[in-house]
Amino acid sequence: MDMHGQLGHDRRRFLALTAAASSVPLLNACGAGFGGGDSKSDGSAADDVTGSFDWQRHKGTTVKALLNKHPYTDALIADLKAFTEKTGIKVEYDVFPEDNYFDKLTVDLSSGRASYDIFMLGAYMVWQYGPPGWLEDLGPWMRNESATGAEWDKDDFLPSLLEGTQWSLKAGTPLGQGGQYALPWGWEANVVAYNTEVFDKLGLRPAESFDELRELAGTIKRKAPGAGFDGMYGVAVRGSRSWATIHPGFMTMFSRYKLKDFTVDGESLKPAMNSPEAITFTRDWADMVKKGGPPSWTSYTWYQCSSDLGAKKAGMLFDADTAAYFQAVKGASPAAGKIAFHPGPKGPDGSLATNMWIWSLGMNARSKKKSAAWLFLQWATGKEHLRKGAIEYNHIDPVRKSVSDDPAYRDKMSELPGFIETFEAVQDQTRIQFTPQEQFFDATTSWASALQEIYGGKSAGPVLNGLADDLASKVG
Amino acid sequence: MSSSTEADHGAASSDDAAVAGAREKASAADRGAGSGPAAGAPPPAGPGAERSVPRWRRSLRPYLLIVPALLLTGGILYPFGLGLYYTVFDFAASKPQPDFTGLENYRRIFTDSSFWDSAWVTVLYAVGAAAVETVLGVAVALLLHRSTLVGRVLEKVLILPLMIAPVIAAIIWKLMLQPSVGVVNYLLRPFGLGGVQWTDTPTGALLSSIAVDVWVYTPFVAILALAGLRSLPTSPFEAAAVDGAGWWFTFRKLTMPMLWPYVLVAVIFRFMDSLKVFDIIYALTEGGPGDSTVVLQIRAYLEAIRFQRYSFGLSYMIVLWAVVYLAAMVLVRYLGRIQNRAAEVPK
């Protein structure tokens, strides 16, 4: 009997069967593999909530939140006990630094899991997370009186902020239509903050036009070290190869010049960051950075910009008002007490159009605890917590009118020269200045890359034309 | 084990025919099991014990033995196959129900100039890092090999960068290379070089990234080279010394040819790792300024994770895998030839 021959035959058969068995789940997985974004159900879970509103409706439930490391988050965590006492709902949370936060959130949402019921996001993320169906539309929850307490008061929010997180999910359509995919929780206006000490010593005044700002930045870089500010440069602006470089000072000034990132032509978008005016502006911005910006600008994030202002390394900061605020409060930095706020240069027609960042709270469309999560969102964006956050903690730039008008808040903020005046000067013209579209992060990362190339000496025209060509096929 | 010994003894004391019979039976039992005892495994319990194991269990044994290998292979092939499968669709966050597009993703990649830019940067980085690490690693190994006391002390220090995660090393270097507050410019200031913008220019960013890679991985090459040096036979060197051969001649004609197989192992590892680099460059420059340090791995990451074009990003990864695989194959074959040549006994 040829045992070897038989065994060899059996082994081949065994391997063939095993391979076939292995391929079944593989094929199944392939067939159902594109599961990250299956279609949403038509009916909202909000419709299941009936009866009278009750904070204690989900007593004993635990909801899980993903949070970004931020002073606003610190204020939330410090007050979480109040939420648990009010509702009986426990909140578990993970906090990640901003460098990793959005990658973590993106991967988690795209995996199709419901590991977090609630998370922080920016309004721009709605454009990326909304279309695949990862975000719960909060509109039906807001409209359901059984789910939403009367004191929540939607009309108390600054209208541009609620609109900023409302979108139809269609590229190019303006914000403020369609689903409410997040709730504003804190916001930031991009303005100029400056070191009063160096301004006084050099006899300078805040710039009222972009030309003045460029001049001023260069002057500070040249003169400040000789006036006792060793190593100080003119203006701190972001420069890393990231979408985050485009949206603060750059996009604000870009918008004050009435320039657009895209133009909407029927149903398609056409890149407009290479218009002749935009090319001139971008070249001037890069020139300003070269003459008066930080050394190693291409690695600059808001952390470096903010800390340079606090460390008296930067004479000015053109970025989020909060980035300056966190350095300006008593004891926070060597420059604390010597930082003042200004709306920044006006556009040629006096425009103070300002781009904003909205820290928002969203709900996972796959959450199994939506009703409890909604109670949390109501509380976290409610008057009581936000007032406490603004007055007792550093949750400034209130999203609610009632908080920004609160005398205790105004008293607190009046200690910072020009803060309230700046806030009020730009508030009406502050909105998201980008055109909403899904490829936002690709477009702005490429834009930042182009800006770096121009800063490095390449001609602005060809670089921006190349960028526009590349984006036309991706976005249009 | 003991029964087998006793049986053999008994057979020896009776007659040769009985011995031959017993051996024949034992041999047949071994054939029935399908294979001989594995190296390192305990000897068989003897023909009696083997017969007591049911036949089905004996037949099953070889299949059980391949289960771990099968699981491992499946664990590798399953995600790989799935990834490969996704590349023929246009799967993205914006297109969760994708269409079959065949090889369109690959066509787009190979006709996109940014791919070729990234491929060029990747090759520059990999060749640059592997070459510098090899030269420095061998040099350090030669120095450490000469002085045993200093060598032993420095060996401990040398291994430190290898114990730091590359991403942490890159962040540390990012701070040290910071033009205004970084320690590197501070140290260079007395020589009039205190204002270098290390990562602000395309060339500077690439060279800085390679420098960090060199800092982290040169010890790896040095340690392998040092181990090789210590394992070389001493007699050829003694003979060369007796003949009055100079240091450079000995190094060229004896040390390097004999050491090369060891060094080549390090080169292969470093070259393949450098082709796949992500952490060091991303932490140091994020791919900038411009696209000057966007290596293939960073482009794949941006496409798949940041911009959520999963199929396109996966296609990039598959292309990168093919490049690394081919490079590794060529280098490993070359290594085999070198090793064979080194093993040849001179006639």
Side-chain angles (χ1 to χ4, degrees):
Chain A
M1 192 175 180
D2 182 4
M3 292 285 280
H4 278 286
Q6 194 185 21
L7 283 169
H9 173 70
D10 285 347
R11 192 174 292 131
R12 277 197 295 275
R13 203 170 57 176
F14 171 77
L15 290 172
L17 284 170
T18 311
S22 305
S23 67
V24 172
L26 174 68
L27 293 173
N28 283 344
C30 293
F34 307 109
D38 61 358
S39 57
K40 292 180 295 173
S41 65
D42 291 326
S44 169
D47 300 340
D48 300 337
V49 184
T50 53
S52 56
F53 175 73
D54 182 8
W55 279 109
Q56 295 276 327
R57 185 189 293 271
H58 295 286
K59 191 175 178 180
T61 308
T62 300
V63 293
K64 196 147 186 212
L66 183 62
L67 305 168
N68 171 54
K69 178 75 191 141
H70 194 278
Y72 291 0
T73 305
D74 297 340
L76 179 87
I77 292 170
D79 200 26
L80 268 184
K81 203 174 155 201
F83 171 69
T84 302
E85 278 168 9
K86 188 176 186 123
T87 61
I89 297 170
K90 200 177 151 202
V91 181
E92 287 178 357
Y93 57 85
D94 290 328
V95 182
F96 280 80
E98 197 164 323
D99 284 351
N100 320 106
Y101 177 79
F102 287 111
D103 283 348
K104 162 81 180 155
L105 179 60
T106 305
V107 169
D108 200 75
L109 289 173
S110 63
S111 72
R113 287 176 298 165
S115 28
Y116 295 99
D117 303 292
I118 311 140
F119 41 82
M120 280 167 73
L121 72 166
Y124 313 140
M125 281 74 192
V126 168
W127 309 343
Q128 189 181 27
Y129 301 158
W134 300 340
L135 299 177
E136 176 77 1
D137 179 4
L138 303 173
W141 295 91
M142 289 160 65
R143 291 189 289 272
N144 184 345
E145 289 176 4
S146 300
T148 307
E151 77 270 22
W152 186 65
D153 193 5
K154 169 173 104 69
D155 297 330
D156 187 37
F157 285 100
L158 296 172
S160 60
L161 298 177
L162 260 186
E163 283 170 18
T165 45
Q166 191 182 11
W167 193 39
S168 66
L169 306 183
K170 207 172 158 204
T173 55
L175 299 171
Q177 302 169 10
Q180 187 75 46
Y181 290 102
L183 290 180
W185 177 55
W187 66 293
E188 294 164 0
N190 293 296
V191 295
V192 169
Y194 60 99
N195 184 310
T196 52
E197 207 178 12
V198 73
F199 269 58
D200 290 345
K201 204 155 188 179
L202 297 178
L204 305 171
R205 291 158 59 90
E208 294 296 335
S209 71
F210 185 41
D211 288 342
E212 280 180 31
L213 182 75
R214 287 160 47 217
E215 177 84 30
L216 197 53
T219 304
I220 293 171
K221 193 166 185 172
R222 281 196 314 276
K223 293 187 176 171
F229 299 90
D230 189 31
M232 181 180 270
Y233 60 87
V235 62
V237 287
R238 301 185 208 188
S240 73
R241 191 179 175 281
S242 158
W243 61 271
T245 284
I246 299 299
H247 89 100
F250 180 86
M251 192 63 190
T252 294
M253 204 62 239
F254 192 79
S255 303
R256 288 179 183 181
Y257 267 80
K258 300 264 180 279
L259 299 169
K260 300 294 292 176
D261 53 350
F262 292 93
T263 51
V264 184
D265 181 13
E267 295 228 328
S268 67
L269 295 182
K270 196 174 161 224
M273 67 282 284
N274 64 332
S275 68
E277 297 81 8
I279 289 172
T280 306
F281 169 79
T282 310
R283 190 192 58 216
D284 289 347
W285 183 270
D287 185 58
M288 175 186 79
V289 179
K290 252 195 278 192
K291 289 183 178 152
S296 201
W297 171 74
T298 55
S299 65
Y300 259 56
T301 65
W302 78 268
Y303 293 115
Q304 281 89 31
C305 293
S306 172
S307 61
D308 276 5
L309 182 74
K312 298 187 180 177
K313 290 284 175 196
M316 296 181 284
L317 168 78
F318 195 173
D319 204 283
D321 52 1
T322 52
Y325 171 83
F326 300 136
Q327 301 293 336
V329 287
K330 214 172 181 178
S333 73
K338 291 163 187 128
I339 293 174
F341 292 81
H342 183 267
K346 295 184 180 69
D349 63 349
S351 165
L352 276 179
T354 302
N355 193 44
M356 68 158 93
W357 168 258
I358 311 174
W359 267 122
S360 316
L361 291 172
M363 191 196 297
N364 193 333
R366 289 166 189 274
S367 169
K368 303 274 187 291
K369 299 168 183 171
K370 288 184 182 175
S371 187
W374 174 244
L375 288 176
F376 174 81
L377 292 181
Q378 264 185 88
W379 172 81
T381 58
K383 291 177 187 173
E384 197 181 334
H385 167 67
L386 289 180
R387 183 180 180 278
K388 197 171 177 183
I391 295 166
E392 293 180 25
Y393 302 102
N394 284 327
H395 196 137
I396 56 156
D397 278 5
V399 295
R400 285 181 170 276
K401 282 177 274 189
S402 61
V403 181
S404 60
D405 291 342
D406 193 292
Y409 168 76
R410 294 182 78 84
D411 266 3
K412 176 183 172 179
M413 301 311 288
S414 63
E415 287 174 15
L416 298 175
F419 187 93
I420 288 180
E421 295 80 355
T422 297
F423 186 83
E424 286 174 349
V426 301
Q427 186 181 317
D428 289 343
Q429 295 180 65
T430 302
R431 55 183 44 81
I432 290 174
Q433 306 286 353
F434 291 101
T435 308
Q437 46 97 12
E438 288 170 52
Q439 304 303 327
F440 170 80
F441 293 101
D442 187 1
T444 41
T445 303
S446 307
W447 201 350
S449 170
L451 193 53
Q452 287 186 340
E453 287 181 1
I454 296 162
Y455 167 80
K458 286 195 179 171
S459 176
V463 170
L464 291 172
N465 285 333
L467 170 70
D469 286 347
D470 181 42
L471 293 178
S473 59
K474 289 178 179 169
V475 177
Chain B
M1 204 189 300
S2 61
S3 65
S4 171
T5 313
E6 282 160 18
D8 286 348
H9 264 289
S13 61
S14 54
D15 57 52
D16 288 343
V19 172
R23 282 183 182 154
E24 182 63 32
K25 281 176 189 168
S27 170
D30 277 352
R31 282 202 303 274
S35 63
E50 192 65 25
R51 266 197 303 274
S52 68
V53 178
R55 185 183 168 78
W56 67 271
R57 271 177 59 187
R58 273 185 281 144
S59 307
L60 196 61
R61 194 182 296 160
Y63 300 117
L64 287 176
L65 288 172
I66 65 161
V67 166
L70 209 60
L71 287 175
L72 194 65
T73 311
I76 292 167
L77 288 182
Y78 183 86
F80 183 81
L82 204 59
L84 197 63
Y85 175 80
Y86 281 173
T87 62
V88 294
F89 291 86
D90 59 353
F91 183 31
S94 57
K95 192 126 195 232
Q97 297 302 325
D99 299 322
F100 176 78
T101 55
L103 298 177
E104 174 61 18
N105 285 320
Y106 295 102
R107 190 199 62 77
R108 272 179 62 201
I109 286 175
F110 290 120
T111 53
D112 184 358
S113 63
S114 59
F115 165 77
W116 295 106
D117 292 344
S118 287
W120 176 237
V121 175
T122 309
V123 169
L124 275 182
Y125 183 90
V127 171
V132 177
E133 282 158 21
T134 306
V135 172
L136 284 181
V138 170
V140 169
L142 287 169
L143 286 172
L144 295 182
H145 187 52
R146 285 188 151 216
S147 165
T148 45
L149 178 63
V150 177
R152 273 199 296 271
V153 175
L154 286 183
E155 265 178 63
K156 309 289 182 289
V157 179
L158 197 66
I159 208 162
L160 286 177
L162 283 174
M163 294 175 177
I164 298 172
V167 68
I168 304 293
I171 291 168
I172 292 169
W173 274 97
K174 187 176 180 172
L175 294 173
M176 294 204 303
L177 292 173
Q178 219 281 332
S180 53
V181 294
V183 71
V184 176
N185 274 5
Y186 175 78
L187 293 173
L188 289 175
R189 211 162 286 155
F191 306 101
L193 296 168
V196 182
Q197 309 266 322
W198 292 99
T199 56
D200 264 12
T201 62
T203 312
L206 185 63
L207 291 178
S208 300
S209 306
I210 291 175
V212 176
D213 199 299
V214 166
W215 184 80
V216 176
Y217 290 111
T218 295
F220 171 75
V221 181
I223 285 164
L224 281 189
L226 190 59
L229 277 173
R230 286 181 180 162
S231 68
L232 296 184
T234 52
S235 51
F237 296 95
E238 287 163 2
V242 168
D243 287 348
W247 176 85
W248 177 239
F249 183 85
T250 310
F251 175 74
R252 251 182 342 121
K253 298 291 183 184
L254 275 180
T255 314
M256 259 334 270
M258 291 164 76
L259 189 63
W260 189 233
Y262 298 94
V263 174
L264 196 58
V265 171
V267 171
I268 290 172
F269 275 112
R270 287 311 312 135
F271 185 67
M272 288 193 305
D273 271 356
S274 303
L275 281 177
K276 298 182 293 178
V277 67
F278 174 81
D279 41 14
I280 288 176
I281 294 185
Y282 198 74
L284 198 67
T285 68
E286 277 188 80
D291 283 354
S292 61
T293 54
V294 178
V295 288
L296 287 172
Q297 199 80 320
I298 289 182
R299 203 167 281 284
Y301 161 79
L302 289 175
E303 289 292 343
I305 305 295
R306 193 58 68 79
F307 309 147
Q308 298 180 302
R309 294 190 280 255
Y310 309 126
S311 288
F312 196 58
L314 277 166
S315 305
Y316 258 103
M317 289 178 205
I318 294 291
V319 169
L320 181 60
W321 168 81
V323 170
V324 174
Y325 188 82
L326 287 173
M329 236 169 56
V330 170
L331 284 170
V332 167
R333 277 195 186 165
Y334 177 58
L335 174 67
R337 279 212 302 275
I338 293 285
Q339 282 174 333
N340 287 342
R341 204 180 304 156
E344 275 172 14
V345 181
K347 296 215 162 67

